[in-house]
Amino acid sequence: MQLRYFVSAFLIFAFGGLSQAQNTLKNTAKGARYQIIDAHPGDRIKLNDVITFNLAIKTERDSVLMSSYQRGQPFTTQVQPSKTVDDLMDIFPLLAAKDSVRILIPADSLFKGHEQDRPPFLSGKNASVVYLLKIEKVQSLEEAIAERKAAEAKAKEASEKLKTEETSRIAKYVAALSPAPKATASGLYYQIITPSAKPKPLPGDTLLVNYIGRTLDGKVFDTNLKDEAQKAGVLQPGRPYEAFQFVVKAGQVIPGWDEGFLLLNQGSKVRLIIPSKLAYADRGAGNDIPPYSPLVFDVELLSIKPGKHPAVAKKTPVKKVYGKKSVKKPVSKKKK
């Protein structure tokens, strides 16, 4: 089913009781019927205003189809001229902040032009879809822009603070390690636990590895080793715990792995301390890896399967001529 304007999912939206004075359905120009459930004093919404609202979409038998509450936050939109019966743009100007309204959209109008999407429970001749709408906030376009800029500035400030804290956290962690880790130009640190003299991989090789991933405070968030997963309380039933395989420098893993494993010899065990810019940066990953989190991986490079390596262009040898002096050609001068 296609409801063109607002999409969310499944939660009942509750409104206050109907007053006798507001119990009469009225019609919009496009054929929707509505009744204002709870009216508040204040200026009515105007064209170009930015509004924040909660919305539930139900059948006439009260089965909830969609709701803004499921996604955990209300909708925000700018009021524009109405184009379709269900865009609600001819309803918004009737309301003020904190108003609630019940709207009936005829199913015939809603599915006009794409009748094949009409579900059986809306097949009746006079069937309607019920929209329950509550206006939470009304702003002018200028106010909304100013609020957004302030929020972006605040987020940027918080981001810079996290970056600074990350740098000092990594420095403190690395200083406590012995033997001291080596650093790369990118900010990756690696500490050799068990050295090896076997070959190192090349970009395009397939690697078979074991790993334990931790946050900087020591919390294990992932491992391919069953015993370690069980010990850390992160065992996933049904997961095959076996050596992890990937093609290095093929974008299959985080950048810190692509860089770090090229430094390892086959058979070696190494601790990688990876800054967030080489991991999940400002995105984070799940509940265990918040934004700007450096990660620690204890890894073992088990085997290397050679892959296709980028061809390296051979340099043409330059022939040197000995015993001859270079002769400078005279520079011709133009006559004045």
Side-chain angles (χ1 to χ4, degrees), residues 283-308:
R283 305 183 307 279
N287 296 326
D288 294 326
I289 306 176
Y292 299 106
S293 290
L295 304 177
V296 178
F297 284 94
D298 289 335
V299 300
E300 179 182 7
L301 178 50
L302 300 172
S303 66
I304 302 171
K305 181 182 178 181
K308 292 183 179 180

Side-chain angles (χ1 to χ4, degrees), residues 3-138:
L3 296 174
R4 294 188 297 274
Y5 194 67
F6 306 110
V7 180
S8 187
F10 315 135
L11 192 68
I12 293 178
F13 184 93
F15 285 95
L18 296 175
S19 69
Q20 293 297 322
Q22 297 168 332
N23 199 27
T24 304
L25 288 169
K26 297 180 181 179
N27 296 325
T28 67
K30 286 188 169 60
R33 293 176 294 157
Y34 70 95
Q35 56 188 165
I36 296 176
I37 296 172
D38 190 13
H40 291 77
D43 295 336
R44 295 292 176 262
I45 296 168
K46 300 181 290 297
L47 200 66
N48 293 324
D49 279 352
V50 176
I51 58 172
T52 302
F53 59 95
N54 277 303
L55 174 71
I57 302 176
K58 306 168 69 174
T59 67
E60 290 179 289
R61 293 186 177 183
D62 264 358
S63 296
V64 177
L65 302 175
M66 297 183 180
S67 170
S68 58
Y69 285 95
Q70 178 65 25
R71 70 173 195 166
Q73 64 182 38
F75 297 109
T76 297
T77 192
Q78 184 182 11
V79 179
Q80 301 288 341
S82 180
K83 294 181 180 179
T84 62
V85 66
D86 62 325
D87 64 14
L88 307 184
M89 292 297 172
D90 53 357
I91 297 291
F92 293 137
L94 306 173
L95 307 172
K98 304 303 179 184
D99 282 1
S100 301
V101 63
R102 180 173 180 263
I103 308 150
L104 277 68
I105 309 290
D108 288 343
S109 300
L110 191 61
F111 294 97
K112 187 175 182 180
H114 52 96
E115 286 78 8
Q116 70 279 3
D117 295 325
R118 186 168 176 166
F121 61 84
L122 290 175
S123 59
K125 183 178 180 181
N126 297 316
S128 295
V129 178
V130 180
Y131 283 44
L132 298 176
L133 170 73
K134 182 178 181 182
I135 304 297
E136 302 293 351
K137 184 167 66 174
V138 181

Side-chain angles (χ1 to χ4, degrees), residues 198-207 246 248 258-266 268 301 303-306 309:
K198 292 182 179 180
K200 292 181 179 180
L202 296 172
D205 288 346
T206 297
L207 310 186
F246 72 100
V248 68
D258 270 337
E259 180 183 353
F261 274 96
L262 291 177
L263 303 170
L264 275 63
N265 298 80
Q266 181 178 330
S268 63
L301 178 50
S303 66
I304 302 171
K305 181 182 178 181
H309 304 137

